[in-house]
Amino acid sequence: MSNDLDMFCYQCSQTVGGKGCVVKGVCGKEATVARLQDNLLFAAKGMAAYLYHARELGYTDSEIDAFLERVFYSTFTNVNFDTEDFVELAVEAGRMNIKTMKLLKKAHIETYGEPEPTEVQTGTVKGKGIIATGHGLKALGELLKQTEGTGINVYTHSELLPAHGYPGLKRYKHLVGNLGKSWFDQKKLFSKYPVAILGTSNCVLIPREEYKDRMFTTGPARLPGVKHIDGYDFTEVIEKAKTLPDLEEKTGDTILKTGFSKSVILSLVGKIKELVESGRIRHFFVVGGCDAPMKKNEYYRKFVQMLPKDTIIITLACGKFRINDLDLGDIDGVPRLIDIGQCNDAIVGIDVVEALAEVFKTSINELPLTFVLSWMEQKAVAILWSLLSLGIKGIYIGPILPAWINDDMLKVLVDRWDLKLIGEPEEDIKEILRGG
């Protein structure tokens, strides 16, 4: 039987080698449609992650579900070849991701209360322990309930750091601190501490042998050779923790601060307005995003360290671990470094930026504010399109462009939204402050 159907390129309407240029670009044309499909699928994956965690807490939205169906059908083979339509679908995905983040934020706040500024210890407390990693507040909440009164201490890692700001979670006295930084330090971190480990979502890595037998996963997370727990009965995790040695009492070198919710920041808006008008605050920066173990990602720490003392930095997602140990002080009681939470808490940043625009009676693009984002995975795609859907221009991203962006796509992003790739911290700061 002929394989011509498999060899037919729907982009070029001719038979070619391989699977056709829509997939591989083998006919010599840049497969812009295929790359736009990839972009849309990545954004949809990010939305699905947020929607999953909202659904865990009983919150759903039929409009978001319907849009995801449309995305998956639009990226099906031989359905849609219209590049402009895919750009508009990406913008719509950004709007839908805003709706998704709002839904998840509502779920978190109505379940655990609105976050409040909280100091988080980074050392260990004498006794047995469990480290929870990932993004799943539902799983962490259930773990805290089940470990209450057992003498086992619970520590967060990476994107679960913001859990310490929620009243319904921080009330558990055995939620004692945060260990480690971003997701990619976990192999070294988990090998160091003789505790049980619970992976609650994405950002879990294939484990080393020295801790594989004391690691567990739940929800969507799965790892080879690691016990998976269906549902939220963490008895096995707790029993494993009881068999392990006690941790020593060791105070950490840093105290982190998290829990700056929308209402907390908006309560400072009046003072912020005065400080801006008096010249004491010159510029706002949103610095954060997806971190990665690349030397180029050192840019973000250098960038913040070089910023003048009359600037405010809002940070979020695992990219905050590049900077959240810095002591930047405050400007008349307004912290210079404000951690608003997980990657999905980009919605808090959006709400705050929109509120500032309203207070100053101007557009977002006329505010003295710049987004400087680190880039890596699907959620970052969804959040970038959320910002673009609001018409926000002049966003800096890095340390490199996503591999699936080609010249045609980059031209659209630059021409329509003035997207910029980061360069050297000092030069970028000069360019930004020159214009704002």
Side-chain angles (χ1 to χ4, degrees):
M1 178 179 283
S2 170
N3 284 329
D4 282 354
L5 185 61
D6 294 332
M7 308 290 279
F8 188 78
C9 174
Y10 293 102
Q11 181 89 335
C12 301
S13 298
Q14 63 180 339
T15 301
V16 294
K19 292 184 179 179
C21 75
V22 168
V23 179
K24 296 290 186 182
V26 296
C27 67
K29 291 187 178 182
E30 286 190 302
T32 300
V33 167
R35 291 176 184 235
L36 285 165
Q37 288 178 334
D38 289 342
N39 167 71
L40 192 58
L41 287 170
F42 287 142
K45 287 180 180 182
M47 290 173 59
Y50 298 146
L51 195 59
Y52 178 92
H53 290 303
R55 192 179 295 274
E56 278 188 299
L57 295 169
Y59 291 73
T60 61
D61 188 293
S62 59
E63 185 182 8
I64 299 169
D65 293 342
F67 178 74
L68 289 173
E69 291 171 6
R70 184 179 167 201
V71 165
F72 291 126
Y73 193 27
S74 294
T75 56
F76 196 77
T77 302
N78 197 18
V79 172
N80 186 346
F81 309 120
D82 188 330
T83 56
E84 182 58 33
D85 187 60
F86 272 115
V87 173
E88 294 310 314
L89 274 171
V91 174
E92 189 175 349
R95 289 193 291 268
M96 280 294 157
N97 187 55
I98 289 174
K99 188 168 188 178
T100 306
M101 290 190 294
K102 283 182 181 291
L103 180 71
L104 180 54
K105 194 65 192 175
K106 177 181 166 119
H108 283 163
I109 288 175
E110 292 187 356
T111 305
Y112 305 114
E114 186 157 9
E116 53 196 26
T118 303
E119 291 186 344
V120 183
Q121 299 292 329
T122 56
T124 54
V125 175
K126 176 70 175 176
K128 301 184 184 302
I130 298 172
I131 295 176
T133 187
H135 301 75
L137 294 191
K138 167 72 173 178
L140 176 62
E142 294 301 318
L143 178 66
L144 289 169
K145 286 180 190 175
Q146 294 168 41
T147 48
E148 191 170 26
T150 64
I152 297 172
N153 295 312
V154 176
Y155 301 83
T156 57
H157 170 249
S158 195
E159 281 282 66
L160 278 178
L161 167 64
H164 293 267
Y166 287 91
L169 298 174
K170 65 185 289 187
R171 71 180 182 83
Y172 291 100
K173 301 304 181 186
H174 62 297
L175 179 62
V176 293
N178 185 83
L179 297 177
K181 295 189 175 185
S182 190
W183 60 273
F184 54 81
D185 74 355
Q186 60 190 261
K187 291 190 177 184
K188 181 178 179 181
L189 180 79
F190 296 167
S191 297
K192 177 180 178 181
Y193 294 106
V195 297
I197 305 148
L198 179 64
T200 67
S201 73
N202 57 303
C203 298
V204 288
L205 299 176
I206 304 297
R208 290 179 178 174
E209 287 298 324
E210 54 258 51
Y211 64 82
K212 182 187 290 186
D213 68 332
R214 52 186 174 85
M215 185 168 185
F216 301 81
T217 57
T218 190
R222 300 286 198 286
L223 292 170
V226 169
K227 172 70 176 180
H228 181 77
I229 296 171
D230 290 320
Y232 303 99
D233 181 352
F234 298 126
T235 301
E236 290 183 76
V237 184
I238 295 167
E239 292 305 311
K240 172 58 74 172
K242 289 177 179 177
T243 69
L244 298 168
D246 285 3
L247 292 176
E248 298 178 1
E249 184 86 25
K250 188 173 182 180
T251 304
D253 296 330
T254 305
I255 294 178
L256 303 176
K257 200 163 188 179
T258 190
F260 287 91
S261 64
K262 174 183 173 181
S263 64
V264 169
I265 300 174
L266 292 186
S267 71
L268 298 171
V269 162
K271 179 178 283 189
I272 289 171
K273 186 174 186 290
E274 292 176 7
L275 293 171
V276 170
E277 290 176 342
S278 67
R280 296 189 62 190
I281 294 179
R282 187 186 351 176
H283 205 89
F284 299 87
F285 291 88
V286 179
V287 183
C290 294
D291 199 9
M294 301 166 60
K295 187 169 181 59
K296 289 182 178 180
N297 282 63
E298 294 173 1
Y299 168 96
Y300 298 93
R301 187 176 183 87
K302 293 176 183 176
F303 182 92
V304 169
Q305 288 175 318
M306 290 180 180
L307 287 175
K309 292 184 178 180
D310 57 359
T311 57
I312 300 288
I313 301 95
I314 297 170
T315 191
L316 74 160
C318 61
K320 67 176 166 282
F321 285 102
R322 291 281 174 176
I323 61 175
N324 67 346
D325 63 328
L326 296 173
D327 183 4
L328 301 182
D330 65 86
I331 302 174
D332 194 19
V334 177
R336 287 196 59 226
L337 184 61
I338 300 173
D339 174 14
I340 60 175
Q342 296 181 331
C343 51
N344 57 280
D345 289 317
I347 192 59
V348 175
I350 288 171
D351 287 341
V352 168
V353 168
E354 289 180 331
L356 287 173
E358 185 176 339
V359 165
F360 287 101
K361 301 186 186 313
T362 187
S363 69
I364 292 176
N365 288 318
E366 291 174 321
L367 287 171
L369 180 142
T370 304
F371 289 82
V372 183
L373 307 178
S374 50
W375 179 276
M376 187 181 171
E377 54 103 85
Q378 289 91 335
K379 295 175 184 178
V381 182
I383 291 171
L384 177 64
W385 282 106
S386 292
L387 299 176
L388 298 180
S389 75
L390 296 171
I392 297 174
K393 296 184 177 181
I395 297 171
Y396 284 72
I397 68 167
I400 58 175
L401 285 171
W404 40 265
I405 287 184
N406 66 6
D407 290 343
D408 289 340
M409 294 173 67
L410 182 59
K411 186 176 188 307
V412 171
L413 292 169
V414 172
D415 290 350
R416 188 164 168 180
W417 290 285
D418 192 26
L419 193 75
K420 302 175 186 293
L421 184 62
I422 62 169
E424 292 299 322
E426 187 173 10
E427 293 304 312
D428 288 345
I429 290 170
K430 286 180 181 178
E431 178 65 25
I432 292 166
L433 295 181
R434 188 182 301 125

